[in-house]
Amino acid sequence: MYLRSMKGGGLRSIASIFLDISLAEVEKAKRLSFIKAWEESEKTKAENKSQKKLSAIVAWENSKKASLEAKLKKIEEQLEKKKAECAEKMKNKVALLHKEAEEKRAMVEAKRGEEVLKAEEMAAKYRATGQTPKKVLGCF
């Protein structure tokens, strides 16, 4: 059986036509396979590119976070140092206050001692002279 080919008007055998169809299908399969491989390659490139960018973002975030944590630690250390300095100043002020209070107590005690001594001396003088004090305190 022979078929007339559209090109050239010659007769071709069915086997020849099937061979052409098979070759065309193989060519088409080859082209589709190449396109699929190209598509997979492009998808892989896009995936790798995005993964690289995501990794860079994570590294950037970690770097910034570490920097901020270091700043926070430095500030905390400065605050601890200031706290210790303020506590030391307060302790010094309390010690100074205590010292002033002791001095005031000593002055009051000394004044009391002087007044008691003066009262004893005056009482001794009044006894010796037989006079009575002009100011009398109490209910006498």
Side-chain angles (χ1 to χ4, degrees):
M1 183 180 254
Y2 291 97
L3 293 177
R4 192 166 264 219
S5 174
M6 296 293 210
K7 299 179 191 175
L11 296 175
R12 293 176 54 191
S13 69
I14 294 177
S16 172
I17 293 171
F18 282 132
L19 181 62
D20 288 344
I21 292 171
S22 294
L23 287 174
E25 287 176 357
V26 167
E27 194 62 38
K28 182 180 178 182
K30 183 178 171 184
R31 189 173 53 249
L32 291 176
S33 175
F34 177 77
I35 291 170
K36 184 169 178 65
W38 176 86
E39 179 185 16
E40 291 299 319
S41 173
E42 290 299 310
K43 285 180 179 179
T44 302
K45 281 183 198 176
E47 184 67 28
N48 289 341
K49 188 177 181 180
S50 68
Q51 285 299 323
K52 185 177 179 181
K53 286 183 178 182
L54 289 173
S55 294
I57 291 169
V58 168
W60 172 81
E61 180 185 20
N62 289 340
S63 171
K64 293 295 181 182
K65 204 188 297 186
S67 174
L68 290 174
E69 287 172 356
K71 271 187 181 178
L72 177 62
K73 186 175 180 182
K74 185 177 180 180
I75 290 170
E76 286 174 346
E77 288 172 355
Q78 288 173 345
L79 288 174
E80 284 297 320
K81 185 179 177 182
K82 278 190 175 186
K83 181 181 174 183
E85 289 172 357
C86 287
E88 186 66 28
K89 284 181 183 177
M90 288 298 138
K91 286 179 185 178
N92 291 341
K93 285 182 180 180
V94 168
L96 184 62
L97 180 69
H98 182 71
K99 180 182 172 186
E100 288 178 16
E102 286 296 320
E103 289 172 356
K104 287 183 179 187
R105 284 188 198 98
M107 288 175 60
V108 168
E109 285 297 318
K111 181 80 170 169
R112 183 187 63 82
E114 288 174 6
E115 289 175 357
V116 168
L117 186 59
K118 183 179 176 183
E120 289 173 352
E121 288 174 355
M122 291 298 286
K125 179 181 166 189
Y126 288 134
R127 282 187 199 106
T129 60
Q131 295 179 341
T132 58
K134 303 221 183 319
K135 286 185 175 180
V136 178
L137 295 176
C139 301
F140 294 102

Coordinates of all heavy atoms in Angstrom, one line a residue, residues 11-59:
L11 N 4.9 8.8 -4.1 CA 4.3 7.8 -3.2 C 5.3 7.3 -2.1 O 6.4 7.1 -2.4 CB 3.9 6.6 -4.1 CG 2.8 6.9 -5.1 CD1 2.6 5.6 -6.0 CD2 1.5 7.2 -4.5
R12 N 4.7 7.1 -1.0 CA 5.6 6.7 0.2 C 4.9 5.5 0.8 O 3.7 5.4 0.8 CB 5.7 7.8 1.2 CG 6.5 9.0 0.7 CD 6.5 10.1 1.6 NE 7.0 9.8 2.9 CZ 7.0 10.5 4.0 NH1 6.4 11.7 3.9 NH2 7.5 10.2 5.1
S13 N 5.7 4.7 1.4 CA 5.1 3.5 2.0 C 4.6 3.9 3.4 O 5.1 4.9 4.0 CB 6.2 2.4 2.1 OG 7.2 2.8 3.0
I14 N 3.8 3.1 3.9 CA 3.2 3.3 5.3 C 4.3 3.2 6.3 O 4.4 4.0 7.3 CB 2.1 2.3 5.6 CG1 0.9 2.5 4.6 CG2 1.7 2.3 7.0 CD1 -0.2 1.6 4.8
A15 N 5.3 2.4 6.1 CA 6.4 2.2 7.0 C 7.2 3.5 7.1 O 7.6 4.0 8.2 CB 7.3 1.1 6.6
S16 N 7.3 4.1 6.0 CA 8.1 5.4 5.9 C 7.3 6.5 6.7 O 7.9 7.3 7.4 CB 8.3 5.8 4.4 OG 8.8 7.1 4.4
I17 N 6.0 6.5 6.5 CA 5.2 7.5 7.2 C 5.3 7.3 8.7 O 5.4 8.2 9.5 CB 3.8 7.5 6.7 CG1 3.8 8.0 5.3 CG2 2.9 8.4 7.6 CD1 2.4 7.8 4.6
F18 N 5.1 6.0 9.1 CA 5.2 5.6 10.6 C 6.6 6.0 11.1 O 6.7 6.5 12.3 CB 4.9 4.2 10.8 CG 3.5 3.9 10.8 CD1 3.0 2.8 10.0 CD2 2.6 4.6 11.5 CE1 1.7 2.5 10.0 CE2 1.2 4.3 11.5 CZ 0.7 3.2 10.7
L19 N 7.6 5.8 10.3 CA 9.0 6.2 10.7 C 9.1 7.7 10.9 O 9.6 8.1 11.9 CB 10.0 5.7 9.7 CG 11.5 6.0 10.0 CD1 11.9 5.3 11.3 CD2 12.4 5.6 8.9
D20 N 8.5 8.4 10.0 CA 8.5 9.9 10.2 C 7.7 10.3 11.4 O 8.2 11.2 12.2 CB 7.9 10.6 8.9 CG 8.8 10.5 7.7 OD1 10.0 10.2 7.9 OD2 8.3 10.7 6.6
I21 N 6.6 9.7 11.6 CA 5.8 10.0 12.8 C 6.5 9.7 14.1 O 6.6 10.4 15.0 CB 4.4 9.3 12.7 CG1 3.6 9.9 11.6 CG2 3.7 9.4 14.1 CD1 2.3 9.1 11.3
S22 N 7.2 8.5 14.1 CA 8.0 8.1 15.2 C 9.1 9.0 15.5 O 9.4 9.4 16.6 CB 8.5 6.7 15.0 OG 7.4 5.7 15.0
L23 N 9.8 9.4 14.4 CA 10.9 10.4 14.6 C 10.4 11.7 15.1 O 11.0 12.3 16.0 CB 11.6 10.6 13.2 CG 12.5 9.4 12.8 CD1 13.1 9.7 11.4 CD2 13.6 9.2 13.8
A24 N 9.2 12.2 14.6 CA 8.6 13.4 15.1 C 8.3 13.3 16.6 O 8.5 14.2 17.4 CB 7.4 13.8 14.3
E25 N 7.7 12.1 16.9 CA 7.4 11.9 18.4 C 8.6 11.9 19.2 O 8.6 12.4 20.3 CB 6.5 10.7 18.5 CG 5.1 10.8 18.0 CD 4.4 9.5 18.1 OE1 4.9 8.4 18.5 OE2 3.2 9.5 17.7
V26 N 9.7 11.2 18.8 CA 10.9 11.2 19.5 C 11.5 12.6 19.6 O 11.9 13.0 20.7 CB 11.9 10.2 18.8 CG1 13.3 10.4 19.4 CG2 11.5 8.8 18.9
E27 N 11.4 13.4 18.5 CA 11.9 14.7 18.6 C 11.1 15.6 19.5 O 11.7 16.4 20.3 CB 11.8 15.3 17.1 CG 12.6 16.6 16.9 CD 14.1 16.4 17.2 OE1 14.7 15.4 16.8 OE2 14.7 17.4 17.7
K28 N 9.8 15.4 19.5 CA 8.9 16.1 20.4 C 9.2 15.7 21.9 O 9.3 16.6 22.8 CB 7.5 15.8 20.1 CG 6.5 16.6 21.0 CD 5.0 16.2 20.6 CE 4.1 17.0 21.5 NZ 2.7 16.6 21.2
A29 N 9.4 14.4 22.1 CA 9.7 13.9 23.5 C 11.1 14.5 24.0 O 11.2 14.9 25.1 CB 9.7 12.4 23.5
K30 N 12.0 14.5 23.0 CA 13.3 15.1 23.3 C 13.2 16.5 23.7 O 13.8 17.0 24.7 CB 14.2 14.9 22.1 CG 15.7 15.3 22.3 CD 16.5 15.1 21.1 CE 17.8 15.7 21.1 NZ 18.6 15.5 19.9
R31 N 12.4 17.3 22.9 CA 12.2 18.7 23.2 C 11.5 18.9 24.5 O 11.9 19.8 25.3 CB 11.4 19.3 22.0 CG 11.3 20.8 22.0 CD 10.7 21.4 20.8 NE 9.4 20.9 20.5 CZ 9.1 20.1 19.5 NH1 10.1 19.8 18.6 NH2 7.9 19.6 19.3
L32 N 10.5 18.1 24.8 CA 9.8 18.3 26.1 C 10.7 17.9 27.2 O 10.6 18.5 28.3 CB 8.5 17.4 26.0 CG 7.4 17.8 25.1 CD1 6.2 16.8 25.1 CD2 6.9 19.2 25.5
S33 N 11.5 16.9 27.0 CA 12.4 16.5 28.1 C 13.4 17.6 28.3 O 13.7 17.9 29.5 CB 13.2 15.2 27.6 OG 14.2 14.9 28.6
F34 N 13.9 18.2 27.3 CA 14.9 19.4 27.4 C 14.2 20.5 28.2 O 14.7 21.1 29.1 CB 15.4 19.8 26.1 CG 16.3 21.0 26.1 CD1 17.6 20.9 26.5 CD2 15.8 22.3 25.8 CE1 18.4 22.0 26.6 CE2 16.6 23.4 25.9 CZ 17.9 23.2 26.3
I35 N 12.9 20.8 27.8 CA 12.2 21.9 28.4 C 12.0 21.6 29.9 O 12.1 22.5 30.8 CB 10.8 22.2 27.7 CG1 11.1 22.7 26.3 CG2 9.9 23.1 28.5 CD1 9.9 22.8 25.4
K36 N 11.6 20.3 30.2 CA 11.4 19.9 31.6 C 12.7 20.1 32.4 O 12.7 20.6 33.5 CB 10.9 18.5 31.7 CG 10.5 18.1 33.1 CD 9.8 16.8 33.0 CE 9.4 16.2 34.4 NZ 8.5 17.0 35.2
A37 N 13.8 19.7 31.8 CA 15.1 19.8 32.5 C 15.5 21.2 32.7 O 15.9 21.6 33.8 CB 16.2 19.1 31.7
W38 N 15.2 22.1 31.7 CA 15.5 23.5 31.8 C 14.6 24.1 33.0 O 15.0 24.9 33.8 CB 15.2 24.2 30.5 CG 15.3 25.7 30.6 CD1 16.4 26.4 30.5 CD2 14.2 26.6 30.9 NE1 16.1 27.8 30.6 CE2 14.8 27.9 30.9 CE3 12.9 26.5 31.1 CZ2 14.1 29.1 31.2 CZ3 12.1 27.7 31.4 CH2 12.7 28.9 31.4
E39 N 13.3 23.7 33.0 CA 12.4 24.2 34.0 C 12.9 23.8 35.4 O 12.9 24.6 36.3 CB 11.0 23.6 33.7 CG 9.9 24.0 34.8 CD 8.6 23.4 34.5 OE1 8.5 22.4 33.8 OE2 7.6 23.9 35.1
E40 N 13.2 22.6 35.6 CA 13.7 22.1 36.9 C 15.0 22.8 37.3 O 15.2 23.2 38.4 CB 14.0 20.6 36.8 CG 12.8 19.7 36.7 CD 11.8 19.9 37.9 OE1 12.3 20.0 39.1 OE2 10.6 20.0 37.7
S41 N 15.9 23.1 36.3 CA 17.1 23.8 36.6 C 16.8 25.2 37.0 O 17.4 25.7 38.0 CB 18.0 23.9 35.3 OG 19.1 24.7 35.5
E42 N 15.8 25.9 36.3 CA 15.5 27.3 36.7 C 14.8 27.3 38.1 O 15.1 28.2 38.9 CB 14.5 27.9 35.7 CG 15.2 28.2 34.3 CD 16.3 29.2 34.5 OE1 16.1 30.2 35.1 OE2 17.4 28.9 34.0
K43 N 14.0 26.3 38.4 CA 13.3 26.2 39.7 C 14.4 26.0 40.8 O 14.3 26.7 41.8 CB 12.3 25.1 39.7 CG 11.0 25.4 39.0 CD 10.1 24.2 39.1 CE 8.8 24.4 38.4 NZ 7.9 23.2 38.5
T44 N 15.3 25.2 40.5 CA 16.4 24.9 41.5 C 17.2 26.2 41.7 O 17.6 26.5 42.8 CB 17.3 23.8 41.0 OG1 16.5 22.6 40.8 CG2 18.4 23.5 42.0
K45 N 17.5 26.9 40.6 CA 18.3 28.2 40.7 C 17.5 29.1 41.6 O 18.1 29.8 42.5 CB 18.5 28.8 39.4 CG 19.6 28.2 38.6 CD 19.8 29.0 37.3 CE 20.6 28.3 36.2 NZ 20.6 29.0 35.0
A46 N 16.2 29.3 41.3 CA 15.4 30.2 42.1 C 15.3 29.8 43.6 O 15.4 30.6 44.5 CB 13.9 30.2 41.5
E47 N 15.2 28.5 43.8 CA 15.1 28.0 45.2 C 16.5 28.3 45.9 O 16.5 28.8 47.0 CB 14.8 26.5 45.2 CG 14.7 25.9 46.5 CD 13.4 26.4 47.3 OE1 12.5 26.7 46.6 OE2 13.5 26.4 48.5
N48 N 17.6 28.0 45.2 CA 18.9 28.2 45.8 C 19.1 29.7 46.1 O 19.7 30.1 47.1 CB 20.0 27.7 44.9 CG 20.0 26.2 44.9 OD1 19.5 25.5 45.8 ND2 20.6 25.6 43.8
K49 N 18.7 30.5 45.1 CA 18.8 32.0 45.3 C 18.0 32.5 46.5 O 18.5 33.3 47.3 CB 18.4 32.7 44.0 CG 18.6 34.2 44.0 CD 18.2 34.7 42.6 CE 18.4 36.2 42.5 NZ 18.0 36.7 41.2
S50 N 16.8 32.0 46.6 CA 16.0 32.5 47.8 C 16.5 31.9 49.1 O 16.5 32.6 50.1 CB 14.5 32.0 47.6 OG 14.4 30.6 47.6
Q51 N 17.0 30.7 49.1 CA 17.6 30.1 50.3 C 18.9 30.9 50.7 O 19.1 31.2 51.9 CB 18.0 28.6 50.1 CG 16.8 27.7 50.1 CD 16.1 27.7 51.4 OE1 16.6 27.8 52.5 NE2 14.7 27.7 51.3
K52 N 19.7 31.3 49.7 CA 20.8 32.1 50.0 C 20.4 33.5 50.6 O 21.0 33.9 51.6 CB 21.6 32.3 48.7 CG 23.0 33.0 48.9 CD 23.7 33.2 47.6 CE 25.0 33.9 47.8 NZ 25.8 34.0 46.5
K53 N 19.4 34.1 50.1 CA 18.9 35.4 50.6 C 18.4 35.2 52.0 O 18.6 36.0 52.9 CB 17.9 36.0 49.7 CG 18.5 36.6 48.4 CD 17.5 37.3 47.5 CE 18.2 37.9 46.3 NZ 17.3 38.6 45.4
L54 N 17.6 34.1 52.2 CA 17.0 33.9 53.5 C 18.1 33.6 54.6 O 18.0 34.1 55.7 CB 16.0 32.7 53.5 CG 14.7 32.9 52.7 CD1 13.9 31.6 52.6 CD2 13.9 34.0 53.4
S55 N 19.2 32.9 54.2 CA 20.3 32.7 55.1 C 21.0 34.0 55.4 O 21.4 34.2 56.6 CB 21.3 31.7 54.4 OG 20.7 30.4 54.3
A56 N 21.1 34.9 54.4 CA 21.7 36.2 54.6 C 20.9 37.0 55.6 O 21.4 37.7 56.5 CB 21.9 36.9 53.3
I57 N 19.6 36.9 55.5 CA 18.7 37.6 56.4 C 18.8 37.1 57.8 O 18.9 37.9 58.8 CB 17.2 37.6 55.9 CG1 17.1 38.4 54.6 CG2 16.3 38.0 57.0 CD1 15.8 38.2 53.9
V58 N 18.9 35.8 58.0 CA 19.0 35.2 59.3 C 20.3 35.6 59.9 O 20.4 36.0 61.1 CB 18.9 33.6 59.2 CG1 19.3 33.0 60.5 CG2 17.5 33.2 58.8
A59 N 21.4 35.6 59.1 CA 22.7 36.0 59.6 C 22.7 37.5 60.0 O 23.2 37.8 61.1 CB 23.8 35.8 58.5

